Amino acid sequence: MADIQTKDNDRRKTINGVLCCPLCRGALYDEEGAKKCGAGHGPFPVDPECRIHFLPDAESRAYQSKHLSGINSLKSFLKRSPRLYYFVWHIFCPVFMSGPGPRSARKMAPAGAVMLNVGSGPRRIGADFVNVDIFPFPEVDVIADVHHLPFPDSSIDAVVHESLLEHVADPAKVAGEISRVLKPGGILYASVPFMTPYHASPDDFNRWTKSGLRVLFSGFTPAEEGVDAGPWSAFLVFLAYFLGVLFSFGSRRTAPFLAFVFMLVLGPLKIFDYVFARLPGADAVAAQLYFIGRKK
């Protein structure tokens, strides 16, 4: 327990050492349970868990509303218990993630690196990662919009994100923000969907091919890229959503809940993607692709 507390304290010191105003990038100072910058932006409230909320109240309420409506309400409920949520996800979600994963960034980053997991959700992939999300899930350290990251230029050693960019309105701006905060030579790990159905969390906008990822991250020298979840995963998840639509009998509200039920049934079959994801040309019909690069 003492080791865990020490790691938490070290991470908090790291966070406080690199945060800045997301609007002008000026230094922050304390003011009556909140943070402000010298230019007068803020106040940015600090919650009982010592997390700074950089989202404006109206924007925060809008995200809260989306997270607590429709199928998102079920996801958000499960995410309050991260161990339960990820147990359900890893066993029953029909998407088999077989790529190197975001922890691969740690192997490429220098000792003592400052590393961000943006769009983290409630998942803590390592005690040395700082979690950034728009929703105050358990394990989130900084509540902020990834279009306006509250970190200075060239201050971060590595940034990772999984299944984030499809949910942002301006992925090119987010890619630019990630590049801005990374040091020269800094590590990027990105995992994005290609052949997957619409899935709001809280919304859904985009898909990418391998060449599309290279263009999006043209400011990075590719180190590794490939299939994160293969064609069998794509087939299963589309089948679950198709059956959800078919058996909802025209109810748009019911369809995503039924799709979730069918995913629970089909999920264990994803193990076959261990083979399918390795087939030549699998990237042309893959559910998920990944990109690892170094900032030029």
Side-chain angles (χ1 to χ4, degrees):
M1 183 65 72
D3 289 342
I4 293 174
Q5 188 63 46
T6 298
K7 290 179 180 178
D8 288 344
N9 291 337
D10 289 344
R11 184 170 58 251
R12 181 58 53 192
K13 290 178 182 177
T14 296
I15 295 167
N16 290 334
V18 295
L19 282 176
C20 70
C21 175
L23 302 177
C24 68
R25 296 169 200 149
L28 298 172
Y29 63 88
D30 296 326
E31 184 180 274
E32 298 180 358
K35 297 280 188 178
K36 290 189 73 173
C37 73
H41 297 130
F44 305 112
V46 179
D47 67 20
E49 285 76 35
C50 300
R51 302 178 299 187
I52 304 177
H53 292 243
F54 288 103
L55 291 178
D57 287 343
E59 190 174 345
S60 181
R61 286 194 298 269
Y63 285 131
Q64 290 264 2
S65 178
K66 287 184 177 181
H67 270 290
L68 298 176
S69 63
I71 190 65
N72 284 328
S73 62
L74 176 59
K75 294 179 182 178
S76 295
F77 174 77
L78 291 173
K79 286 178 180 179
R80 294 175 187 174
S81 302
R83 289 185 179 180
L84 173 62
Y85 175 77
Y86 286 107
F87 172 78
V88 173
W89 170 265
H90 288 303
I91 300 299
F92 295 106
C93 176
V95 178
F96 182 65
M97 306 292 276
S98 58
R103 291 184 179 88
S104 59
R106 181 192 287 123
K107 300 176 183 177
M108 301 174 66
V114 179
M115 299 181 288
L116 304 181
N117 182 3
V118 293
S120 65
R123 182 187 183 195
R124 177 76 66 189
I125 60 176
D128 44 358
F129 282 87
V130 175
N131 283 352
V132 181
D133 205 285
I134 58 171
F135 199 74
F137 294 117
E139 300 295 345
V140 171
D141 301 305
V142 179
I143 293 86
D145 184 345
V146 293
H147 294 87
H148 306 282
L149 289 171
F151 303 98
D153 297 357
S154 303
S155 60
I156 306 298
D157 295 289
V159 174
V160 305
H161 57 85
E162 291 185 288
S163 302
L164 164 71
L165 291 181
E166 72 269 30
H167 301 301
V168 302
D170 191 344
K173 181 172 178 56
V174 173
E177 275 292 275
I178 290 171
S179 180
R180 177 185 67 79
V181 304
L182 276 172
K183 298 175 182 177
I187 306 302
L188 166 70
Y189 172 89
S191 177
V192 300
F194 174 37
M195 300 286 286
T196 58
Y198 175 88
H199 55 286
S201 185
D203 213 325
D204 191 2
F205 302 101
N206 302 284
R207 299 292 182 271
W208 284 269
T209 60
K210 281 178 68 174
S211 53
L213 271 179
R214 293 189 200 116
V215 171
L216 184 65
F217 295 118
S218 58
F220 292 80
T221 301
E224 186 180 339
E225 56 188 350
V227 173
D228 206 5
W232 185 251
S233 292
F235 169 72
L236 288 177
V237 73
F238 268 106
L239 179 59
Y241 274 80
F242 169 76
L243 292 173
V245 170
L246 182 65
F247 288 101
S248 67
F249 301 108
S251 172
R252 295 179 64 90
R253 186 178 181 84
T254 304
F257 287 95
L258 286 178
F260 188 80
V261 172
F262 284 113
M263 283 195 285
L264 295 179
V265 174
L266 296 170
L269 298 176
K270 66 184 175 183
I271 191 65
F272 292 110
D273 214 9
Y274 185 82
V275 175
F276 282 90
R278 288 162 171 75
L279 293 176
D283 59 287
V285 284
Q288 193 97 354
L289 302 171
Y290 74 89
F291 175 93
I292 303 174
R294 285 188 180 272
K295 181 180 173 181
K296 294 178 181 177

